[in-house]
């Protein structure tokens, strides 16, 4: 498995930028046509596995998330969807497969829950996500969708809008 070979051989996949660095550009990658095409071609027709555990879950430990990610890769996953910078950073150290990263945090005065602020976008991208997933619905939000996309691109990541929502 190409993406897993780096961890098996003991070679780190690629370093993530330190979290305190502002994203005006990223030395490790950039949103260029070639970069976009590379990520998209690697994901086209591939299995992408979401490896997440909610707070309070017995599975909510970064080491467990990393182990489940390894199992997903061994099972044929060619992309991973991970929640939170800590998990993204840990799994990024194991593999070079495309990572879709996001955060899930309640926002004061807004029902938007998935990667709602530029700071969250930056943290996910700097942790090593190739793609930053964010809430792209028309819900009232603390920051405009355009701000989130611009921040992802400034950090060298692609942006992916999640547009489905449950009707309650």
């Amino acid at each position: 498995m190409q993406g897993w070979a780096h961890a098996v051989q003991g070679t780190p996949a690629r370093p993530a930028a330190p979290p305190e660095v502002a994203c005006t550009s990223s030395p490790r990658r950039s949103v260029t046509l070639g970069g976009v095409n590379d990520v998209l071609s690697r994901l086209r027709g591939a299995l992408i596995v979401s490896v997440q555990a909610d707070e309070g879950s017995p599975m909510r430990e970064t080491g467990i998330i990393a182990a489940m990610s390894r199992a997903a890769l061994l099972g044929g996953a060619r992309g991973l969807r991970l929640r939170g910078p800590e998990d993204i950073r840990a799994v990024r150290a194991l593999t070079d497969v495309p990572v879709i990263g996001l955060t899930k945090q309640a926002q004061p005065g807004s029902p938007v829950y998935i990667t709602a602020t530029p700071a969250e976008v930056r943290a996910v991208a700097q942790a090593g996500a190739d793609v930053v997933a964010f809430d792209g619905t028309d819900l009232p939000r603390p920051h405009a969708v355009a701000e989130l996309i611009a921040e992802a691109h400034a950090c060298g990541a692609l942006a992916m809008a999640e547009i489905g929502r449950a009707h309650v």
Side-chain angles (χ1 to χ4, degrees):
M1 193 157 314
Q2 176 187 10
W4 188 240
H6 290 284
V8 173
Q9 295 169 0
T11 305
R14 63 184 159 150
E20 66 279 354
V21 175
C23 285
T24 54
S25 65
S26 175
R28 68 180 175 86
R29 61 186 173 187
S30 64
V31 182
T32 62
L33 184 56
V36 169
N37 287 338
D38 178 57
V39 171
L40 295 179
S41 68
R42 292 175 69 195
L43 293 175
R44 186 169 287 112
L47 173 65
I48 302 168
V49 176
S50 183
V51 185
Q52 302 177 51
D54 290 332
E55 297 302 325
S57 166
M59 306 295 276
R60 183 49 266 149
E61 290 183 27
T62 296
I64 292 172
I65 298 298
M68 291 190 311
S69 295
R70 288 175 40 197
L73 293 168
L74 290 172
R78 293 199 338 234
L80 298 167
R81 184 175 183 267
L82 302 166
R83 172 186 177 179
E86 186 178 346
D87 290 350
I88 294 164
R89 205 172 288 111
V91 174
R92 176 50 73 212
L94 301 174
T95 185
D96 68 347
V97 301
V99 169
I100 300 168
L102 62 128
T103 61
K104 291 184 177 177
Q105 289 184 226
Q107 301 296 321
S110 173
V112 173
Y113 183 62
I114 297 175
T115 321
T117 69
E120 291 173 16
V121 169
R122 185 177 323 111
V124 166
Q126 289 180 331
D130 299 288
V131 179
V132 177
F134 63 91
D135 181 304
T137 65
D138 61 356
L139 292 170
R141 60 185 52 256
H143 295 273
V145 167
E147 287 180 71
L148 305 179
I149 294 169
E151 187 65 26
H153 290 173
C155 291
L158 301 177
M160 181 178 88
E162 299 204 7
I163 57 171
R165 63 177 166 178
H167 296 279
V168 187

